[in-house]
Amino acid sequence: MDATVLAVTSKGTVRGFRRGSTAVFLGIPFAQAPVGPLRFGAPAPVVPWDGERDATAYGPTAQRGDAGITLIPEPSVPGDATLNVNVFTPADRDPDATLPVLVWIHGGGYTSGSPASRWYDGDAFARDGVVTVVISYRIGFDGFGLIDGAPSNRGLRDQIAALRWVQDEIGAFGGDPARVTVAGQSAGGGSVLALMASPAASGLFHGAMAISPAIGAVPADAARRFAARVAELAGVSADRDGFAAVPEERLVELQKTAGKPPRGRVIASLTALLDDGLPLGPVIDGDLLPRHPLDVLAEETGVPLVIGSTDDEFTMLTARYRGLLRFVPVSLALAVLGLGRSRRRAYLARTRRRGAAAVLGGYATDRVIRATVLRVARTRGVAPTWVYRFAWPSPVFGTACHCLDVPFWFDHLDAEGVTAIAGDAPPRSLAAQLHGAAVAFARDGDPGWPAWDATARRARVFDGAASVPFVETDAYADVAPLV
């Protein structure tokens, strides 16, 4: 840790540290700790403090306990004050600087994940003149369970509160509140789309990046059924008072149990997951999220959007069963998963994947994420939208898998754990391309390739191979039968 650095916010002074050319401030609260009477409540404003508040260590995380082995190392940090932000800004910036701002939302399926990951440190963005803010939010049932007597979508409300904090305070860190780009990956990317669809978030950001978006749009009736199941397992009433009697750690275990498929209904549950999405996530509540994000995005035209995915997000999950799945007729398996005959034939005719394991894992990829990319691009019409594909195959997994692109976006290939997914020598030139596109978009509102249009349907292809075209037309055509 290098020299101390200070920033004066409206709530008080925070003390961070200098790391190379970056001023780092960790664990700054943007709302009060959501515990006691504030549990299951909307985020409450921070109480001002006197003196200097230490901001040299990651703050507590909503994720609890050991997350186990994950693609992105996202440690849990104990403590109550989980609603906090990490800020990375150029240490030697002009005192009057008004730099573009990138706000990052972590993924984790709306039930896990942590902002306390070195993969999300914004040193490279600071180097290139962009202030980075990594935010936390409540996850799982505490964040997204639909509870009688409690505000809905508490995790989404946390994200909005963090964006409001950026509007109010980022000037103290050299950022421009009029040039804020919100970005996220997986559930974080789905959160970006939900924020674009929420009237409460209007005006809080000016550009958006939805990276491998796992869209969150849980119907209210489905959310109520899930809450009733959790309450039944806990032996409490399905309201705020009932759930308040259940310790957070216990509630985490119960939400896992409630999400398991009933015995004998594994296929039906898998089909429902592909059709309806995750049981926990942003809820279409008629209030904070009035309608499905795709319906709102068809009308929203003002916020520029970058959206895309890796080519094989989840193919690695079925690759381990390659030997067993080679005996499974692919067409029959897709039929069992609910894909009708004409769409099945069209899909199989267009897919580049071969072998049952690759096709079935690819189908999960396409249904959950890649089809969302195409839907959003089509839905946006003439609204400024840039589409990309991340096609570089991991030398570890053999495909462009989920999370592989994140250290490239952050130009943080030396972070702990990157070699486990990207091998010993991930191409730095590819990181320069992705990171450069993110910087350009945050700074100029244009990532540097042609925008999507209904005729050419162009997308940027990020791949280390010189033989791969920079931009392709008719992008994502292989998932068109699923849209």
Side-chain angles (χ1 to χ4, degrees):
M1 187 180 297
D2 294 337
T4 293
V5 290
L6 300 176
V8 181
T9 76
S10 67
K11 302 299 184 182
T13 300
V14 290
R15 183 182 69 255
F17 62 93
R18 178 169 179 147
R19 184 170 61 205
S21 61
T22 304
V24 180
F25 301 85
L26 304 175
I28 305 171
F30 65 83
Q32 293 185 50
V35 296
L38 297 181
R39 189 185 181 195
F40 303 124
V46 171
V47 177
W49 60 86
D50 296 323
E52 296 176 4
R53 187 184 188 106
D54 181 72
T56 60
Y58 292 111
T61 61
Q63 177 178 269
R64 300 303 194 189
D66 183 3
I69 299 174
T70 55
L71 292 173
I72 298 178
E74 292 180 313
S76 300
V77 179
D80 292 337
T82 57
L83 301 181
N84 57 75
V85 298
N86 305 320
V87 180
F88 305 83
T89 186
D92 298 319
R93 65 187 182 277
D94 187 291
D96 299 321
T98 52
L99 301 173
V101 181
L102 181 83
V103 177
W104 179 259
I105 305 175
H106 70 77
Y110 303 104
T111 60
S112 63
S114 162
S117 175
R118 290 299 305 273
W119 283 33
Y120 306 146
D121 284 1
D123 299 71
F125 281 107
R127 176 198 68 203
D128 296 326
V130 177
V131 179
T132 307
V133 181
V134 183
I135 72 172
S136 61
Y137 58 100
R138 280 170 284 183
I139 55 179
F141 199 84
D142 267 63
F144 295 99
L146 190 58
I147 301 172
D148 286 344
S152 58
N153 285 313
R154 295 170 297 281
L156 198 62
R157 292 177 193 273
D158 295 341
Q159 296 170 8
I160 292 171
L163 287 166
R164 289 198 178 111
W165 181 92
V166 170
Q167 288 297 306
D168 294 339
E169 309 292 359
I170 203 61
F173 303 88
D176 183 354
R179 287 198 292 166
V180 175
T181 297
V182 62
Q185 182 260 353
S186 194
S191 294
V192 168
L193 298 181
L195 290 167
M196 293 180 71
S198 175
S202 179
L204 297 179
F205 55 92
H206 315 92
M209 296 181 67
I211 297 168
S212 300
I215 199 162
V218 182
D221 57 349
R224 290 190 188 93
R225 288 194 299 270
F226 188 82
R229 174 60 175 154
V230 174
E232 178 186 19
L233 291 170
V236 299
S237 57
D239 55 25
R240 186 170 183 173
D241 289 339
F243 286 118
V246 185
E248 184 182 350
E249 293 77 7
R250 173 66 174 153
L251 200 52
V252 170
E253 293 305 315
L254 293 176
Q255 76 186 24
K256 293 177 183 177
T257 301
K260 291 180 179 178
R263 182 175 296 178
R265 293 184 54 81
V266 174
I267 296 298
S269 298
L270 179 57
T271 301
L273 179 64
L274 293 174
D275 289 342
D276 304 327
L278 298 166
L280 282 170
V283 177
I284 303 173
D285 58 3
D287 175 26
L288 199 73
L289 190 60
R291 294 181 291 153
H292 195 291
L294 289 178
D295 294 335
V296 179
L297 290 173
E299 303 165 2
E300 191 279 326
T301 60
V303 177
L305 172 68
V306 171
I307 188 169
S309 73
T310 67
D311 274 1
D312 291 283
E313 303 275 357
F314 307 126
T315 304
M316 61 183 178
L317 298 179
T318 52
R320 69 187 70 177
Y321 305 112
R322 186 179 293 111
L324 179 63
L325 288 173
R326 74 178 188 273
F327 299 109
V328 176
V330 174
S331 183
L332 176 60
L334 292 176
V336 170
L337 292 175
L339 190 60
R341 177 180 294 180
S342 61
R343 297 173 70 201
R344 187 166 70 244
R345 288 176 175 173
Y347 177 71
L348 289 174
R350 295 190 184 201
T351 185
R352 56 182 168 74
R353 305 177 184 102
R354 295 293 177 265
V359 172
L360 294 177
Y363 178 67
T365 293
D366 295 342
R367 283 294 305 276
V368 175
I369 292 182
R370 295 185 73 241
T372 296
V373 173
L374 184 57
R375 284 192 184 97
V376 170
R378 287 181 174 181
T379 295
R380 293 265 292 171
V382 298
T385 305
W386 291 266
V387 177
Y388 73 86
R389 285 177 44 217
F390 184 87
W392 182 73
S394 160
V396 178
F397 295 105
T399 59
C401 61
H402 198 54
C403 301
L404 176 61
D405 53 336
V406 173
F408 290 87
W409 287 113
F410 277 81
D411 193 11
H412 210 343
L413 300 182
D414 296 327
E416 181 181 357
V418 170
T419 57
I421 189 174
D424 294 330
R428 295 191 177 276
S429 60
L430 187 58
Q433 293 172 24
L434 270 83
H435 178 73
V439 169
F441 186 65
R443 184 188 61 221
D444 307 322
D446 187 329
W449 67 86
W452 178 273
D453 66 75
T455 303
R457 301 179 295 279
R458 289 170 292 200
R460 172 74 160 91
V461 181
F462 290 107
D463 190 309
S467 60
V468 176
F470 182 85
V471 174
E472 70 173 5
T473 58
D474 202 15
Y476 287 84
D478 55 327
V479 297
L482 305 181
V483 175

